[in-house]
Coordinates of all heavy atoms in Angstrom, one line a residue:
M1 N 20.4 -16.6 -6.6 CA 19.3 -17.3 -5.9 C 18.1 -17.4 -6.9 O 17.6 -16.4 -7.3 CB 18.9 -16.6 -4.6 CG 17.8 -17.3 -3.8 SD 17.6 -16.6 -2.2 CE 16.4 -15.4 -2.6
E2 N 17.7 -18.6 -7.2 CA 16.6 -18.8 -8.1 C 15.4 -19.5 -7.4 O 15.7 -20.4 -6.6 CB 17.0 -19.6 -9.3 CG 18.0 -19.0 -10.2 CD 17.4 -18.0 -11.1 OE1 16.2 -18.2 -11.5 OE2 18.1 -17.0 -11.5
L3 N 14.2 -18.9 -7.5 CA 13.1 -19.6 -7.0 C 12.3 -20.2 -8.2 O 12.1 -19.5 -9.2 CB 12.2 -18.6 -6.3 CG 12.6 -18.1 -4.9 CD1 11.6 -17.1 -4.4 CD2 12.8 -19.2 -3.9
D4 N 11.8 -21.4 -8.0 CA 11.0 -21.9 -9.1 C 9.6 -21.3 -8.9 O 9.2 -20.8 -7.9 CB 11.0 -23.4 -9.1 CG 10.5 -24.0 -7.9 OD1 10.6 -23.4 -6.8 OD2 10.0 -25.2 -7.9
L5 N 8.8 -21.5 -10.0 CA 7.5 -20.8 -10.0 C 6.6 -21.4 -8.9 O 5.9 -20.6 -8.2 CB 6.9 -21.0 -11.4 CG 5.5 -20.4 -11.5 CD1 5.6 -18.9 -11.4 CD2 4.9 -20.7 -12.9
L6 N 6.6 -22.6 -8.6 CA 5.8 -23.2 -7.6 C 6.1 -22.7 -6.2 O 5.2 -22.3 -5.4 CB 5.9 -24.8 -7.6 CG 5.0 -25.5 -6.6 CD1 3.5 -25.2 -6.9 CD2 5.3 -26.9 -6.6
T7 N 7.4 -22.5 -5.9 CA 7.8 -21.9 -4.6 C 7.4 -20.5 -4.5 O 6.9 -20.0 -3.5 CB 9.3 -22.0 -4.5 OG1 9.7 -23.4 -4.6 CG2 9.8 -21.5 -3.1
A8 N 7.5 -19.7 -5.6 CA 7.1 -18.3 -5.6 C 5.6 -18.2 -5.4 O 5.1 -17.3 -4.6 CB 7.6 -17.6 -6.9
V9 N 4.8 -19.0 -6.1 CA 3.4 -19.0 -5.9 C 3.0 -19.4 -4.5 O 2.0 -18.8 -3.9 CB 2.7 -19.8 -7.0 CG1 1.2 -20.0 -6.7 CG2 2.9 -19.3 -8.4
T10 N 3.6 -20.4 -4.0 CA 3.3 -20.8 -2.6 C 3.6 -19.7 -1.6 O 2.8 -19.4 -0.7 CB 4.2 -22.1 -2.2 OG1 3.9 -23.1 -3.2 CG2 3.8 -22.6 -0.9
V11 N 4.7 -19.0 -1.7 CA 5.0 -17.9 -0.8 C 4.0 -16.8 -1.0 O 3.5 -16.2 0.0 CB 6.4 -17.4 -1.1 CG1 6.7 -16.1 -0.4 CG2 7.4 -18.4 -0.7
F12 N 3.6 -16.5 -2.2 CA 2.6 -15.5 -2.5 C 1.3 -15.8 -1.8 O 0.6 -15.0 -1.2 CB 2.4 -15.2 -4.0 CG 1.4 -14.2 -4.3 CD1 1.6 -12.9 -4.1 CD2 0.2 -14.6 -4.8 CE1 0.7 -12.0 -4.4 CE2 -0.8 -13.7 -5.1 CZ -0.6 -12.4 -4.9
V13 N 0.8 -17.0 -2.0 CA -0.5 -17.5 -1.5 C -0.5 -17.4 0.1 O -1.4 -17.0 0.7 CB -0.9 -18.8 -2.0 CG1 -2.1 -19.4 -1.3 CG2 -1.2 -18.7 -3.5
L14 N 0.6 -17.9 0.6 CA 0.7 -17.9 2.1 C 0.8 -16.5 2.6 O 0.2 -16.2 3.7 CB 2.0 -18.7 2.5 CG 1.9 -20.2 2.4 CD1 3.2 -20.8 2.8 CD2 0.8 -20.8 3.3
G15 N 1.4 -15.6 1.9 CA 1.5 -14.2 2.3 C 0.1 -13.6 2.3 O -0.3 -12.8 3.1
V16 N -0.7 -13.9 1.2 CA -2.0 -13.3 1.1 C -2.9 -13.9 2.3 O -3.6 -13.1 2.9 CB -2.7 -13.7 -0.2 CG1 -4.2 -13.5 -0.2 CG2 -2.0 -13.0 -1.4
L17 N -2.8 -15.1 2.6 CA -3.6 -15.7 3.7 C -3.2 -15.1 5.0 O -4.1 -14.8 5.8 CB -3.5 -17.2 3.7 CG -4.1 -18.0 2.5 CD1 -3.8 -19.5 2.6 CD2 -5.6 -17.7 2.5
V18 N -2.0 -15.0 5.3 CA -1.5 -14.5 6.6 C -1.9 -13.0 6.7 O -2.4 -12.5 7.7 CB 0.0 -14.6 6.8 CG1 0.5 -13.8 7.9 CG2 0.4 -16.1 6.9
G19 N -1.7 -12.3 5.6 CA -2.1 -10.8 5.6 C -3.6 -10.7 5.8 O -4.0 -9.8 6.6
F20 N -4.4 -11.5 5.2 CA -5.8 -11.4 5.4 C -6.2 -11.7 6.8 O -7.1 -11.0 7.4 CB -6.6 -12.4 4.4 CG -8.1 -12.3 4.5 CD1 -8.8 -11.2 4.0 CD2 -8.8 -13.2 5.2 CE1 -10.1 -11.2 4.1 CE2 -10.1 -13.2 5.4 CZ -10.8 -12.1 4.8
E21 N -5.6 -12.7 7.4 CA -5.9 -13.1 8.8 C -5.5 -12.0 9.8 O -6.2 -11.7 10.7 CB -5.3 -14.4 9.2 CG -6.0 -15.6 8.6 CD -7.4 -15.7 9.2 OE1 -7.6 -15.6 10.4 OE2 -8.3 -16.0 8.4
V22 N -4.3 -11.4 9.6 CA -3.9 -10.4 10.5 C -4.7 -9.1 10.3 O -5.1 -8.5 11.4 CB -2.4 -10.0 10.1 CG1 -1.9 -8.8 10.8 CG2 -1.5 -11.2 10.5
I23 N -5.1 -8.7 9.1 CA -5.9 -7.5 9.0 C -7.3 -7.7 9.5 O -7.9 -6.8 10.0 CB -5.9 -7.1 7.5 CG1 -4.4 -6.7 7.1 CG2 -6.8 -5.9 7.2 CD1 -3.9 -5.5 7.9
S24 N -7.8 -8.9 9.3 CA -9.2 -9.1 9.8 C -9.3 -9.1 11.3 O -10.4 -8.9 11.8 CB -9.7 -10.5 9.2 OG -9.0 -11.5 9.8
K25 N -8.2 -9.3 12.0 CA -8.3 -9.2 13.5 C -8.1 -7.8 14.1 O -8.2 -7.6 15.3 CB -7.1 -10.1 14.1 CG -7.2 -11.6 13.6 CD -8.3 -12.3 14.3 CE -8.2 -13.8 14.0 NZ -9.1 -14.2 13.0
V26 N -7.8 -6.8 13.2 CA -7.5 -5.5 13.7 C -8.9 -4.8 13.9 O -9.8 -4.9 13.1 CB -6.7 -4.7 12.7 CG1 -6.6 -3.2 13.1 CG2 -5.3 -5.3 12.6
P27 N -9.1 -4.1 15.1 CA -10.3 -3.4 15.3 C -10.5 -2.3 14.3 O -9.6 -1.8 13.7 CB -10.2 -2.8 16.7 CG -9.0 -3.5 17.3 CD -8.2 -4.0 16.2
A28 N -11.8 -2.0 14.0 CA -12.1 -1.0 13.0 C -11.5 0.3 13.2 O -11.1 1.1 12.3 CB -13.6 -0.9 12.8
T29 N -11.4 0.7 14.5 CA -10.8 2.0 14.9 C -9.3 2.1 14.5 O -8.8 3.2 14.3 CB -11.0 2.3 16.4 OG1 -10.5 1.3 17.1 CG2 -12.5 2.5 16.7
L30 N -8.6 1.0 14.5 CA -7.2 1.0 14.2 C -6.9 0.7 12.7 O -5.8 0.7 12.3 CB -6.5 0.1 15.1 CG -6.4 0.4 16.5 CD1 -5.7 -0.7 17.3 CD2 -5.8 1.7 16.8
H31 N -8.0 0.4 11.9 CA -7.7 -0.1 10.6 C -7.1 1.0 9.7 O -6.1 0.7 9.0 CB -9.1 -0.6 10.0 CG -8.9 -1.4 8.7 ND1 -9.1 -0.8 7.5 CD2 -8.5 -2.6 8.5 CE1 -8.8 -1.7 6.6 NE2 -8.4 -2.8 7.2
T32 N -7.7 2.2 9.7 CA -7.2 3.2 8.9 C -5.8 3.6 9.2 O -4.9 3.7 8.3 CB -8.2 4.4 8.9 OG1 -9.4 4.0 8.5 CG2 -7.7 5.5 8.0
P33 N -5.4 3.9 10.5 CA -4.0 4.3 10.7 C -3.0 3.2 10.3 O -2.0 3.4 9.8 CB -4.0 4.5 12.2 CG -5.4 4.8 12.6 CD -6.2 4.0 11.7
L34 N -3.4 1.9 10.6 CA -2.5 0.8 10.3 C -2.3 0.7 8.8 O -1.2 0.5 8.3 CB -2.9 -0.5 10.9 CG -2.7 -0.6 12.4 CD1 -3.3 -1.9 13.0 CD2 -1.3 -0.5 12.8
M35 N -3.4 0.8 8.1 CA -3.3 0.6 6.6 C -2.6 1.7 6.0 O -1.8 1.5 5.0 CB -4.7 0.4 6.0 CG -5.4 -0.9 6.4 SD -4.4 -2.3 6.0 CE -4.4 -2.2 4.2
S36 N -2.8 2.9 6.4 CA -2.1 4.1 5.8 C -0.6 4.0 6.1 O 0.2 4.3 5.2 CB -2.7 5.4 6.3 OG -2.6 5.5 7.6
G37 N -0.3 3.6 7.3 CA 1.1 3.4 7.6 C 1.8 2.3 6.8 O 2.9 2.4 6.3
A38 N 1.0 1.2 6.7 CA 1.6 0.0 5.9 C 1.7 0.4 4.4 O 2.7 0.0 3.8 CB 0.6 -1.2 6.1
N39 N 0.8 1.2 3.9 CA 0.9 1.6 2.5 C 2.1 2.4 2.3 O 2.7 2.3 1.3 CB -0.4 2.3 2.1 CG -1.5 1.3 1.8 OD1 -1.3 0.2 1.6 ND2 -2.7 1.8 1.9
S40 N 2.4 3.3 3.2 CA 3.5 4.2 3.0 C 4.8 3.4 3.2 O 5.8 3.7 2.5 CB 3.5 5.4 4.0 OG 3.5 5.0 5.3
I41 N 4.8 2.4 4.0 CA 6.0 1.6 4.1 C 6.3 0.7 2.9 O 7.4 0.3 2.6 CB 5.9 0.7 5.4 CG1 5.9 1.5 6.6 CG2 6.9 -0.4 5.4 CD1 5.6 0.8 7.9
H42 N 5.2 0.5 2.1 CA 5.4 -0.3 0.9 C 6.3 0.4 -0.2 O 6.3 -0.1 -1.3 CB 4.0 -0.6 0.3 CG 3.4 -1.8 0.9 ND1 2.2 -1.7 1.6 CD2 3.8 -3.0 1.1 CE1 1.9 -2.9 2.1 NE2 2.8 -3.7 1.8
G43 N 6.9 1.4 0.2 CA 7.9 2.0 -0.7 C 9.0 0.9 -1.1 O 9.6 1.0 -2.1
I44 N 9.1 -0.1 -0.2 CA 10.1 -1.1 -0.5 C 9.7 -1.9 -1.8 O 10.5 -2.4 -2.5 CB 10.3 -2.1 0.7 CG1 11.5 -3.0 0.5 CG2 9.0 -3.0 0.9 CD1 12.7 -2.2 0.7
V45 N 8.4 -1.9 -2.1 CA 7.9 -2.5 -3.3 C 8.4 -1.8 -4.5 O 8.8 -2.4 -5.5 CB 6.3 -2.6 -3.3 CG1 5.8 -3.0 -4.6 CG2 5.8 -3.5 -2.2
V46 N 8.5 -0.5 -4.4 CA 9.0 0.3 -5.5 C 10.5 0.0 -5.8 O 10.9 -0.1 -6.9 CB 8.7 1.8 -5.2 CG1 9.4 2.7 -6.3 CG2 7.3 2.1 -5.1
I47 N 11.2 -0.1 -4.7 CA 12.6 -0.4 -4.8 C 12.8 -1.8 -5.4 O 13.6 -2.0 -6.3 CB 13.3 -0.3 -3.4 CG1 13.3 1.1 -2.9 CG2 14.7 -0.9 -3.5 CD1 13.8 1.3 -1.5
G48 N 12.0 -2.8 -5.0 CA 12.1 -4.1 -5.6 C 11.7 -4.1 -7.1 O 12.3 -4.8 -7.9
A49 N 10.7 -3.3 -7.4 CA 10.2 -3.2 -8.8 C 11.3 -2.6 -9.7 O 11.6 -3.0 -10.8 CB 9.0 -2.4 -8.9
M50 N 12.0 -1.6 -9.1 CA 13.1 -1.0 -9.9 C 14.3 -1.9 -10.1 O 14.9 -2.0 -11.1 CB 13.6 0.3 -9.2 CG 12.6 1.4 -9.4 SD 13.1 3.1 -8.9 CE 13.1 2.9 -7.1
L51 N 14.5 -2.8 -9.0 CA 15.6 -3.8 -9.2 C 15.2 -4.8 -10.2 O 16.1 -5.3 -11.0 CB 15.9 -4.5 -7.8 CG 16.5 -3.6 -6.8 CD1 16.6 -4.4 -5.5 CD2 17.9 -3.2 -7.3
I52 N 13.9 -5.2 -10.3 CA 13.5 -6.1 -11.3 C 13.6 -5.5 -12.7 O 13.9 -6.2 -13.7 CB 12.0 -6.6 -11.0 CG1 12.0 -7.4 -9.7 CG2 11.4 -7.4 -12.1 CD1 12.8 -8.7 -9.7
T53 N 13.3 -4.2 -12.7 CA 13.3 -3.5 -14.0 C 14.7 -3.5 -14.6 O 14.9 -3.7 -15.8 CB 12.8 -2.1 -13.8 OG1 11.5 -2.1 -13.3 CG2 12.8 -1.3 -15.2
A54 N 15.7 -3.4 -13.7 CA 17.1 -3.4 -14.1 C 17.5 -4.8 -14.8 O 18.4 -4.8 -15.7 CB 18.0 -3.1 -13.0
T55 N 16.9 -5.8 -14.4 CA 17.2 -7.2 -15.0 C 16.2 -7.6 -16.0 O 16.4 -8.7 -16.6 CB 17.3 -8.2 -13.8 OG1 16.0 -8.3 -13.2 CG2 18.3 -7.8 -12.8
A56 N 15.2 -6.9 -16.3 CA 14.2 -7.3 -17.3 C 14.7 -7.2 -18.7 O 15.6 -6.4 -19.0 CB 13.0 -6.4 -17.2
D57 N 14.2 -8.1 -19.5 CA 14.5 -8.1 -20.9 C 13.3 -8.6 -21.7 O 12.5 -9.3 -21.2 CB 15.8 -8.9 -21.3 CG 15.6 -10.3 -20.9 OD1 14.7 -10.6 -20.1 OD2 16.5 -11.1 -21.3
G58 N 13.1 -8.0 -22.9 CA 12.0 -8.4 -23.7 C 10.8 -7.5 -23.4 O 10.7 -6.9 -22.3
F59 N 9.8 -7.5 -24.3 CA 8.7 -6.7 -24.1 C 7.8 -7.0 -22.9 O 7.4 -6.2 -22.1 CB 7.8 -6.8 -25.4 CG 6.5 -6.0 -25.2 CD1 6.5 -4.6 -25.3 CD2 5.3 -6.6 -25.0 CE1 5.3 -3.9 -25.2 CE2 4.1 -5.9 -24.9 CZ 4.1 -4.5 -24.9
L60 N 7.6 -8.3 -22.6 CA 6.8 -8.7 -21.5 C 7.5 -8.4 -20.2 O 6.9 -7.9 -19.2 CB 6.5 -10.2 -21.5 CG 5.7 -10.8 -20.4 CD1 4.3 -10.2 -20.5 CD2 5.6 -12.3 -20.5
G61 N 8.8 -8.5 -20.1 CA 9.6 -8.2 -18.9 C 9.5 -6.7 -18.6 O 9.2 -6.3 -17.5
Y62 N 9.6 -5.9 -19.7 CA 9.5 -4.4 -19.5 C 8.1 -4.0 -19.1 O 7.9 -3.1 -18.2 CB 9.9 -3.7 -20.7 CG 11.4 -3.7 -21.0 CD1 11.9 -4.2 -22.2 CD2 12.3 -3.3 -20.0 CE1 13.3 -4.2 -22.4 CE2 13.7 -3.4 -20.2 CZ 14.1 -3.8 -21.4 OH 15.5 -3.9 -21.6
L63 N 7.1 -4.7 -19.7 CA 5.7 -4.3 -19.4 C 5.4 -4.7 -17.9 O 4.8 -3.8 -17.2 CB 4.8 -5.1 -20.3 CG 3.3 -4.8 -20.0 CD1 2.9 -3.4 -20.3 CD2 2.4 -5.8 -20.9
L64 N 5.8 -5.9 -17.5 CA 5.6 -6.2 -16.1 C 6.3 -5.4 -15.1 O 5.8 -5.0 -14.0 CB 5.9 -7.7 -15.9 CG 5.0 -8.7 -16.6 CD1 5.5 -10.1 -16.4 CD2 3.6 -8.6 -16.0
A65 N 7.5 -5.0 -15.5 CA 8.3 -4.1 -14.6 C 7.7 -2.7 -14.5 O 7.6 -2.2 -13.4 CB 9.7 -4.0 -15.1
F66 N 7.2 -2.2 -15.6 CA 6.5 -0.9 -15.6 C 5.3 -1.0 -14.7 O 5.0 -0.1 -13.9 CB 6.1 -0.5 -17.0 CG 5.3 0.7 -17.1 CD1 5.8 2.0 -16.8 CD2 3.9 0.6 -17.3 CE1 5.0 3.1 -16.9 CE2 3.1 1.7 -17.3 CZ 3.7 3.0 -17.1
L67 N 4.5 -2.1 -14.9 CA 3.3 -2.2 -14.1 C 3.6 -2.3 -12.6 O 2.9 -1.7 -11.7 CB 2.4 -3.4 -14.5 CG 1.8 -3.3 -15.9 CD1 1.1 -4.6 -16.3 CD2 0.8 -2.2 -15.9
A68 N 4.7 -3.0 -12.3 CA 5.1 -3.2 -10.9 C 5.5 -1.8 -10.3 O 5.1 -1.5 -9.2 CB 6.2 -4.2 -10.7
V69 N 6.2 -1.0 -11.0 CA 6.6 0.3 -10.5 C 5.4 1.2 -10.4 O 5.2 1.9 -9.4 CB 7.7 0.9 -11.5 CG1 7.9 2.4 -11.1 CG2 9.0 0.1 -11.4
A70 N 4.5 1.2 -11.4 CA 3.3 2.0 -11.4 C 2.4 1.7 -10.2 O 2.0 2.6 -9.5 CB 2.6 1.9 -12.7
F71 N 2.2 0.4 -10.0 CA 1.3 0.0 -8.9 C 2.0 0.3 -7.5 O 1.3 0.6 -6.6 CB 0.9 -1.5 -9.0 CG -0.1 -1.8 -10.0 CD1 0.0 -2.9 -10.8 CD2 -1.1 -0.9 -10.3 CE1 -0.9 -3.2 -11.8 CE2 -2.1 -1.1 -11.3 CZ -2.0 -2.3 -12.0
G72 N 3.3 0.1 -7.5 CA 4.0 0.4 -6.2 C 3.9 1.9 -5.9 O 3.6 2.3 -4.7
F73 N 4.1 2.8 -6.9 CA 4.0 4.2 -6.6 C 2.5 4.6 -6.3 O 2.3 5.4 -5.4 CB 4.4 5.0 -7.8 CG 5.9 5.3 -7.8 CD1 6.7 4.8 -8.8 CD2 6.4 6.1 -6.8 CE1 8.1 5.0 -8.7 CE2 7.8 6.4 -6.8 CZ 8.6 5.9 -7.8
A74 N 1.5 4.0 -6.9 CA 0.2 4.2 -6.6 C -0.1 3.8 -5.2 O -0.9 4.6 -4.4 CB -0.8 3.5 -7.6
N75 N 0.4 2.7 -4.7 CA 0.2 2.3 -3.3 C 0.9 3.3 -2.3 O 0.3 3.6 -1.3 CB 0.8 0.9 -3.2 CG 0.3 0.2 -1.9 OD1 -0.6 0.7 -1.3 ND2 1.0 -0.8 -1.6
V76 N 2.1 3.8 -2.7 CA 2.7 4.7 -1.8 C 2.0 6.0 -1.7 O 1.7 6.6 -0.6 CB 4.2 4.9 -2.2 CG1 4.8 6.1 -1.5 CG2 5.0 3.7 -2.0
V77 N 1.6 6.5 -2.9 CA 0.8 7.8 -2.9 C -0.5 7.6 -2.2 O -0.9 8.5 -1.5 CB 0.7 8.3 -4.4 CG1 -0.3 9.5 -4.5 CG2 2.0 8.7 -4.9
G78 N -1.2 6.5 -2.4 CA -2.5 6.3 -1.8 C -2.3 6.2 -0.3 O -3.2 6.7 0.5
G79 N -1.2 5.6 0.2 CA -1.0 5.6 1.7 C -0.8 7.0 2.2 O -1.4 7.3 3.3
Y80 N -0.1 7.9 1.5 CA 0.0 9.2 2.0 C -1.3 10.0 1.9 O -1.6 10.8 2.8 CB 1.2 10.0 1.2 CG 2.5 9.6 1.7 CD1 3.4 8.9 0.9 CD2 2.9 9.9 3.0 CE1 4.6 8.5 1.3 CE2 4.2 9.5 3.4 CZ 5.0 8.8 2.6 OH 6.3 8.5 3.0
V81 N -2.1 9.8 0.9 CA -3.3 10.5 0.8 C -4.3 10.1 1.9 O -4.9 10.9 2.5 CB -4.0 10.2 -0.6 CG1 -5.4 10.7 -0.7 CG2 -3.2 10.9 -1.7
V82 N -4.3 8.8 2.2 CA -5.2 8.3 3.3 C -4.7 8.9 4.6 O -5.5 9.3 5.4 CB -5.2 6.8 3.3 CG1 -5.9 6.2 4.5 CG2 -6.0 6.2 2.1
T83 N -3.4 8.9 4.8 CA -2.9 9.4 6.1 C -3.3 10.9 6.2 O -3.6 11.4 7.3 CB -1.4 9.3 6.1 OG1 -1.1 7.9 6.0 CG2 -0.8 9.8 7.4
D84 N -3.1 11.7 5.1 CA -3.5 13.1 5.1 C -5.0 13.3 5.4 O -5.3 14.1 6.3 CB -3.1 13.7 3.8 CG -3.3 15.2 3.8 OD1 -2.7 15.9 4.7 OD2 -4.0 15.8 2.9
R85 N -5.8 12.5 4.8 CA -7.3 12.6 5.1 C -7.6 12.3 6.5 O -8.4 12.9 7.2 CB -8.0 11.7 4.1 CG -8.1 12.3 2.7 CD -9.0 11.5 1.9 NE -10.4 11.7 2.3 CZ -11.4 11.0 1.9 NH1 -11.2 10.1 0.9 NH2 -12.6 11.2 2.3
M86 N -6.9 11.3 7.0 CA -7.1 10.8 8.4 C -6.7 11.9 9.4 O -7.3 12.2 10.4 CB -6.3 9.6 8.7 CG -6.5 9.0 10.1 SD -5.4 7.6 10.4 CE -3.9 8.4 10.3
L87 N -5.5 12.6 9.1 CA -5.1 13.6 10.0 C -6.0 14.8 10.0 O -6.1 15.5 11.0 CB -3.6 14.0 9.6 CG -2.6 13.0 9.9 CD1 -1.2 13.4 9.4 CD2 -2.5 12.6 11.4
H88 N -6.6 15.1 8.8 CA -7.6 16.2 8.7 C -8.8 15.9 9.6 O -9.4 16.9 10.1 CB -8.0 16.5 7.3 CG -7.0 17.3 6.5 ND1 -6.7 18.6 6.8 CD2 -6.1 16.9 5.5 CE1 -5.7 19.0 6.0 NE2 -5.4 18.0 5.2
M89 N -9.1 14.7 9.8 CA -10.3 14.3 10.6 C -10.0 14.7 12.1 O -11.0 14.9 12.8 CB -10.6 12.8 10.5 CG -11.1 12.4 9.2 SD -11.3 10.6 8.9 CE -11.7 10.0 10.4
F90 N -8.8 14.8 12.5 CA -8.5 15.0 13.9 C -8.2 16.5 14.2 O -8.0 16.9 15.3 CB -7.3 14.2 14.4 CG -7.5 12.7 14.4 CD1 -7.0 11.9 13.5 CD2 -8.4 12.2 15.4 CE1 -7.2 10.5 13.5 CE2 -8.7 10.9 15.4 CZ -8.1 10.0 14.4
K91 N -8.3 17.4 13.2 CA -8.1 18.8 13.4 C -9.3 19.4 14.1 O -10.4 19.0 13.8 CB -7.8 19.5 12.1 CG -6.4 19.3 11.6 CD -6.2 20.2 10.4 CE -4.7 20.1 9.9 NZ -4.5 20.9 8.8
A92 N -9.1 20.3 15.0 CA -10.2 21.0 15.6 C -10.9 21.9 14.7 O -10.3 22.6 13.9 CB -9.7 21.8 16.8
R93 N -12.2 21.9 14.7 CA -13.0 22.8 13.8 C -13.0 24.2 14.5 O -13.1 24.3 15.7 CB -14.4 22.2 13.6 CG -14.3 20.9 12.9 CD -15.7 20.4 12.5 NE -15.6 19.2 11.8 CZ -16.4 18.3 11.8 NH1 -17.6 18.4 12.4 NH2 -16.2 17.2 11.1
P94 N -13.0 25.2 13.7 CA -13.1 26.6 14.2 C -14.5 26.8 14.9 O -15.5 26.3 14.5 CB -13.0 27.5 13.0 CG -13.3 26.7 11.8 CD -13.0 25.3 12.2
A95 N -14.4 27.4 16.1 CA -15.6 27.7 16.8 C -16.5 28.6 16.1 O -16.1 29.6 15.4 CB -15.3 28.3 18.2
A96 N -17.9 28.4 16.2 CA -18.8 29.3 15.5 C -18.8 30.7 16.2 O -18.7 30.8 17.4 CB -20.2 28.7 15.5
K97 N -18.9 31.7 15.4 CA -18.9 33.1 15.9 C -20.3 33.3 16.7 O -21.3 32.9 16.2 CB -18.8 34.1 14.8 CG -17.4 34.1 14.2 CD -17.3 35.1 13.1 CE -16.0 35.1 12.4 NZ -15.9 36.0 11.3
E98 N -20.1 34.0 17.8 CA -21.4 34.3 18.5 C -22.1 35.4 17.8 O -21.5 36.3 17.2 CB -21.0 34.8 19.9 CG -20.5 33.7 20.8 CD -20.3 34.1 22.2 OE1 -21.0 35.1 22.7 OE2 -19.4 33.6 22.9
G99 N -23.4 35.3 17.8 CA -24.3 36.3 17.1 C -24.5 36.0 15.6 O -25.0 36.8 14.9
S100 N -24.0 34.9 15.2 CA -24.2 34.5 13.8 C -25.6 34.1 13.6 O -26.4 33.7 14.5 CB -23.2 33.5 13.3 OG -23.5 32.3 14.0
A101 N -26.1 34.1 12.4 CA -27.5 33.8 12.1 C -27.9 32.3 12.5 O -29.0 32.1 12.9 CB -27.8 34.0 10.6
S102 N -27.0 31.4 12.3 CA -27.4 30.0 12.7 C -26.7 29.4 13.8 O -25.9 29.8 14.5 CB -27.1 29.1 11.5 OG -25.7 29.2 11.1

């Protein structure tokens, strides 16, 4: 299956527009959980990048494949970091000891 460049660019631009519209409609309170979950699901990007790497040839192909894998892993790790920070926000804080100075 071969996509010509115009079809690939069209799909990419439409994906960006749809993604922007969907994310802009999400209330602010749900933005962080949805984005962190979506980032962790983007592990499929890493799999796609590794498949592209297997078929790459030439310096430019290897460079683009390396960048795709690196950015994919950064996105996945970032999703987990955001999720971890968000979960720490919901932990109960220890109660202050009675008789303390402040």
Side-chain angles (χ1 to χ4, degrees):
M1 182 172 91
E2 294 279 332
L3 289 178
D4 62 334
L5 182 61
L6 182 61
T7 304
V9 170
T10 303
V11 169
F12 177 74
V13 170
L14 288 175
V16 167
L17 292 175
V18 169
F20 182 77
E21 282 297 316
V22 168
I23 294 300
S24 65
K25 303 285 189 261
V26 174
T29 55
L30 294 178
H31 193 259
T32 301
L34 286 177
M35 290 306 295
S36 61
N39 283 339
S40 62
I41 291 172
H42 276 119
I44 194 73
V45 171
V46 175
I47 294 172
M50 287 191 285
L51 290 175
I52 294 297
T53 303
T55 60
D57 58 346
F59 176 73
L60 183 61
Y62 288 126
L63 178 66
L64 291 175
F66 173 75
L67 289 175
V69 171
F71 287 142
F73 272 114
N75 196 13
V76 169
V77 171
Y80 282 114
V81 169
V82 168
T83 302
D84 187 52
R85 289 187 65 186
M86 180 186 67
L87 291 176
H88 281 291
M89 290 172 35
F90 293 108
K91 283 188 177 178
R93 295 185 179 154
K97 294 181 181 178
E98 291 186 27
S100 64
S102 55

